[in-house]
Amino acid sequence: MTAIAPSPTLAETLRSRRERLAERINFPVMLWSGRPRARNFPANTYPFRANSHFLYFAGMSLTNAVIRLDGKRLTLFMDDSTVEDALWHGPMPTCVEVANIIGAEAALPMSELPKAAQNVATIPVQDGITVAEQMTLRTTVQPAQDKALAEAIVAVRLTHDAEAITEIRKAAAVSTWAHRAGMAATAVGQTEAAVRAVMESVIVATGMTCAYNSIVTIQGEVLHNERYDHVLQPGDLVLADVGAEAASGWASDITRTWPVTGQFSSTQRDIYEVVLAAHDACIAAARPGVEYRELHFLACRTLATGLAELGILKGDPDGLVEQDAHALFFPHGVGHLLGLDVHDMEDLGDLAGYASGRSRSDRFGLAFLRLDRPLQAGMAVTIEPGFYQVPGILQDAVRREAYSDCVDWDRLAQFQDVRGVRIEDDIFITAEGCEILTGELSSDVDTIETAVKSQKVM
Ligand code: GLY
Ligand code: MN
Ligand code: MN
């Protein structure tokens, strides 16, 4: 069992979360935390992370525990650690002690689970053994009820309460320090791995973990690059997408792109400024009622305008975006929901990301848009436009033909030293606009150059 230090207001927060859920459903719910997954044999596991829906309502990262929500009533199911557990993992709070911390009305051993699991709705967890247990114990599964539960949980988790946003802020602050440390540690001859190590050490030293696999790469065009073996050379850009997850499970997600030497080339600076203009325009426009999809298109138009001004794209920006010409260089969406999951609630597919009645487009420029809802006060989302030269897209004969009138390929060839640029911040939607949760970390060209050149954390 893994336990984290709970906040003093945890029980109250959890009660209010249960109330918000109870307003939307009229059937009992059981949520499983899940078990550690074996890495290569059962005693050697991947780091455990409790299921996010469980974590939202239970507030503590408990292994192999279950909660039952019945209206506002909370029951915790968990076995106390055995002498053998304590031998390997140390003493842990008992079920009754945990129940007191989280404000559960009842604390029961797992042997009581089968009786309590009839006619409950649930959401499958991340590990196969626990999913099998969920299926075996729930002999009377009603898919419509499970769907109604998922929809109700999405409605509750879409906007964040004070406890959640406090935790996201903590994670964001640590991510900010990790990026500063990464810039200061960057030098010609270092490996990507060395920069990654410095960044992650800031996160680990605060007792946090990484919210997702870090991307620290000179191959910024590989969107989810997980190689770290390249040696940094003069002229390379480092793209670092690294975010901390607080011990409570709340995530942050930051990307910065910086030159290895501390000096952008003129072509790198030109493209960086175009991406930054898209980033800034989206943040300036983010407020309640605005469709996130419109922010995405705002980013696309701003990128198209900037690339046309640089002579890379040809034509008027609106027309270029209509044809998805911008997607040659910006093939992903402008961001996503952020919460307990870095792509919040993406375990539910597009149920959280897409408003009821909407579904993903298969259009080149929209297929990877993860969020298509009007913004609401209390939501946290990322804003992360980018520019990438992906060989699989730009060398594709069919696309080159389709976009032959839109791209000046000779002009593009002059920007060969810009493989990938992304600038990503986390924003919190307020009543009037938004607050940049990661705004302490500048994205301004001169500040970034100074941070890399100074070789000290600024
Ligand atoms: N770090 C993953 C993402 O930005 O979506
Ligand atoms: Mn992101
Ligand atoms: Mn990211």
Side-chain angles (χ1 to χ4, degrees):
M1 181 177 77
T2 311
I4 53 157
S7 87
T9 51
L10 181 65
E12 197 185 312
T13 296
L14 298 180
R15 192 164 302 117
S16 114
R17 289 178 186 170
R18 288 201 293 285
E19 280 170 11
R20 289 174 68 204
L21 184 67
E23 283 163 14
R24 291 172 165 83
I25 53 167
N26 59 2
F27 46 79
V29 172
M30 264 189 176
L31 296 171
W32 274 252
S33 67
R35 293 168 165 77
R37 275 174 285 196
R39 185 163 173 260
N40 37 9
F41 53 88
N44 189 16
T45 58
Y46 289 105
F48 176 71
R49 167 53 158 76
N51 176 269
S52 293
H53 304 294
F54 173 91
L55 208 42
Y56 188 81
F57 291 102
M60 290 177 74
S61 183
L62 309 166
T63 46
N64 199 17
V66 182
I67 50 172
R68 181 179 156 114
L69 311 171
D70 211 338
K72 297 174 194 168
R73 184 180 163 82
L74 173 64
T75 306
L76 173 68
F77 297 84
M78 192 183 98
D79 286 336
D80 291 343
S81 21
T82 61
V83 173
E84 192 177 332
D85 289 337
L87 170 66
W88 295 103
H89 305 295
M92 289 289 170
T94 64
C95 182
V96 169
E97 286 166 345
V98 172
N100 279 337
I101 295 169
I102 67 174
E105 281 82 9
L108 295 171
M110 292 294 268
S111 55
E112 295 291 325
L113 209 51
K115 266 192 288 187
Q118 301 311 311
N119 299 314
V120 296
T122 196
I123 293 180
V125 297
Q126 60 285 344
D127 69 278
I129 295 177
T130 306
V131 169
E133 179 182 288
Q134 288 178 297
M135 283 163 64
T136 312
L137 288 178
R138 294 195 317 137
T139 47
T140 48
V141 177
Q142 295 181 34
Q145 208 163 274
D146 284 356
K147 181 154 186 283
L149 171 63
E151 286 167 352
I153 287 188
V154 166
V156 172
R157 286 183 54 189
L158 264 183
T159 55
H160 297 309
D161 54 36
E163 185 124 359
I165 204 66
T166 300
E167 293 297 306
I168 295 176
R169 277 183 212 286
K170 285 186 201 163
V174 169
S175 303
T176 294
W177 281 105
H179 279 260
R180 289 198 176 113
M183 289 178 205
T186 296
V188 172
Q190 288 279 22
T191 57
E192 296 161 332
V195 178
R196 172 196 179 196
V198 167
M199 297 183 77
E200 292 192 0
S201 80
V202 172
I203 294 173
V204 173
T206 58
M208 297 195 182
T209 54
C210 293
Y212 51 91
N213 293 341
S214 301
I215 300 165
V216 182
T217 185
I218 56 168
Q219 289 183 319
E221 77 280 11
V222 182
L223 296 182
H224 280 175
N225 201 335
E226 289 183 17
R227 279 184 62 176
Y228 311 98
D229 56 321
H230 298 108
V231 177
L232 310 184
Q233 307 290 350
D236 286 338
L237 291 175
V238 174
L239 185 154
D241 186 344
V242 176
E245 176 177 305
S248 51
W250 294 90
S252 60
D253 187 6
I254 300 185
T255 308
R256 288 292 182 273
T257 308
W258 61 80
V260 165
T261 56
Q263 185 77 47
F264 287 97
S265 70
S266 65
T267 42
Q268 290 169 343
R269 183 182 269 255
D270 284 346
I271 297 287
Y272 187 94
E273 295 283 15
V274 170
V275 176
L276 187 59
H279 163 275
D280 291 353
C282 290
I283 291 177
R287 67 178 67 86
V290 168
E291 289 286 349
Y292 190 80
R293 180 191 175 93
E294 289 310 317
L295 292 188
H296 175 75
F297 280 122
L298 177 58
C300 300
R301 281 196 306 278
T302 311
L303 289 166
T305 304
L307 295 179
E309 281 167 8
L310 292 175
I312 295 172
L313 286 178
K314 298 185 289 186
D316 92 282
D318 287 342
L320 288 165
V321 171
E322 259 165 48
Q323 295 174 74
D324 290 326
H326 66 281
L328 292 166
F329 305 103
F330 176 48
H332 62 74
V334 78
H336 47 83
L337 292 166
L338 179 75
L340 278 168
D341 309 298
V342 63
H343 294 175
D344 209 26
M345 298 180 273
E346 212 171 88
D347 64 312
L348 302 174
D350 279 339
L351 194 70
Y354 277 63
S356 172
R358 300 184 188 179
S359 57
R360 256 189 221 228
S361 160
D362 55 9
R363 225 175 106 177
F364 178 36
L366 279 179
F368 297 113
L369 182 62
R370 296 177 192 277
L371 178 56
D372 184 6
R373 283 184 176 275
L375 294 173
Q376 295 173 52
M379 277 182 175
V381 301
T382 66
I383 297 293
E384 50 181 305
F387 170 95
Y388 314 91
Q389 297 208 52
V390 182
I393 294 176
L394 297 178
Q395 302 305 327
D396 177 63
V398 176
R399 287 209 203 281
R400 278 183 90 96
E401 173 62 26
Y403 290 105
S404 57
D405 291 344
C406 302
V407 181
D408 182 336
W409 300 100
D410 292 334
R411 177 70 177 139
L412 179 64
Q414 294 167 5
F415 290 82
Q416 255 174 356
D417 67 345
V418 195
R419 300 179 67 165
V421 172
R422 178 162 66 255
I423 305 170
E424 176 175 27
D425 277 301
D426 303 341
I427 63 171
F428 181 56
I429 306 301
T430 58
E432 271 106 42
C434 75
E435 179 194 340
I436 311 174
L437 298 169
T438 46
E440 285 288 301
L441 184 68
S442 178
S443 43
D444 159 78
V445 166
D446 294 335
T447 314
I448 285 191
E449 286 188 342
T450 307
V452 178
K453 275 187 204 143
S454 73
Q455 305 277 286
K456 47 179 202 276
V457 181
M458 300 179 75

